[in-house]
Amino acid sequence: MPDALTRLLAIAAAPSQPRRKDWGEVERTLGVELPADYKELIHVYGGGNWDDHLYVLEPGCPNANYDLIPWAETQAEDLEGLWEFEKKPVELEPEGSHVIPWATTDNGECLYWLVRPGLEPDEWTVMVNEARGDRWEHFSVSCTRFLASCLDGELRSAILSSSFPRAAHEFRRLGAV
């Protein structure tokens, strides 16, 4: 089990039933292979809410509002339209670089994988975009390490709410609404 996932399990217990996914089908639909740590995170926790603020997206999530696949499609379109008027983050300037969402917050911030040509999915890092503005942050860690590091205080985002993380952590798996 990856170190970051072990850290998450120490922070908040996982639901008793793992989530099973047909990752081949998910990746065919998205047109890209996903990082192994994310697949393990979804297997153990599923899509869920951390500290009543951060929502991890899940492909085929029972709560369709947090389904990774439509989020990926919508965000790609929205960002392309946005970058006709705003400057792309410097991390996205190299040809073929793009982002794929993996989490969001109740304030509307979006957390992405930074996908660059020549990098394997397990080498992708995290970018955070503010909800209603053009500020971006880049963190040279995997999504699971980002989440664990935010929750245990090792890492701090200037964009995410100052009320995240909470002192007493809580995880709620997303269900049908």
Side-chain angles (χ1 to χ4, degrees):
M1 185 174 298
D3 175 56
L5 190 55
T6 301
R7 288 169 53 199
L8 284 175
L9 288 166
I11 291 168
S16 60
Q17 295 296 317
R19 288 269 171 91
R20 307 232 184 267
K21 299 289 171 188
D22 180 348
W23 290 107
E25 180 61 30
V26 169
E27 292 168 336
R28 277 188 294 284
T29 301
L30 291 171
V32 66
E33 184 180 337
L34 296 172
D37 73 306
Y38 171 76
K39 293 181 210 178
E40 187 66 18
L41 174 65
I42 295 302
H43 176 74
V44 172
Y45 282 98
N49 177 275
W50 290 87
D51 287 0
D52 203 29
H53 182 70
L54 189 141
Y55 294 83
V56 173
L57 305 174
E58 174 186 357
C61 186
N63 182 330
N65 296 313
Y66 300 100
D67 189 326
L68 174 72
I69 294 169
W71 265 85
E73 293 167 356
T74 302
Q75 288 301 111
E77 292 170 11
D78 290 351
L79 288 173
E80 284 308 314
L82 180 70
W83 288 327
E84 291 178 15
F85 306 99
E86 289 184 9
K87 185 170 173 26
K88 276 186 181 182
V90 66
E91 293 85 358
L92 293 170
E93 288 177 1
E95 184 70 32
S97 297
H98 63 282
V99 290
I100 300 171
W102 63 271
T104 188
T105 70
D106 62 356
N107 290 340
E109 292 91 9
C110 197
L111 291 77
Y112 298 91
W113 287 293
L114 173 57
V115 180
R116 291 183 166 159
L119 288 183
E120 295 298 317
D122 292 339
E123 299 173 296
W124 295 351
T125 54
V126 171
M127 296 207 46
V128 179
N129 179 225
E130 71 180 329
R132 290 164 285 287
D134 61 359
R135 283 190 318 147
W136 288 78
E137 293 176 317
H138 179 240
F139 297 92
S140 294
V141 296
S142 70
C143 66
T144 305
R145 180 152 179 224
F146 178 87
L147 180 57
S149 296
C150 279
L151 291 168
D152 71 12
E154 177 186 310
L155 184 147
R156 192 81 181 136
S157 166
I159 291 176
L160 297 179
S161 172
S162 60
S163 64
F164 178 79
R166 290 183 169 178
H169 300 297
E170 177 187 11
F171 173 79
R172 286 180 290 115
R173 181 181 269 181
L174 298 170
V177 288

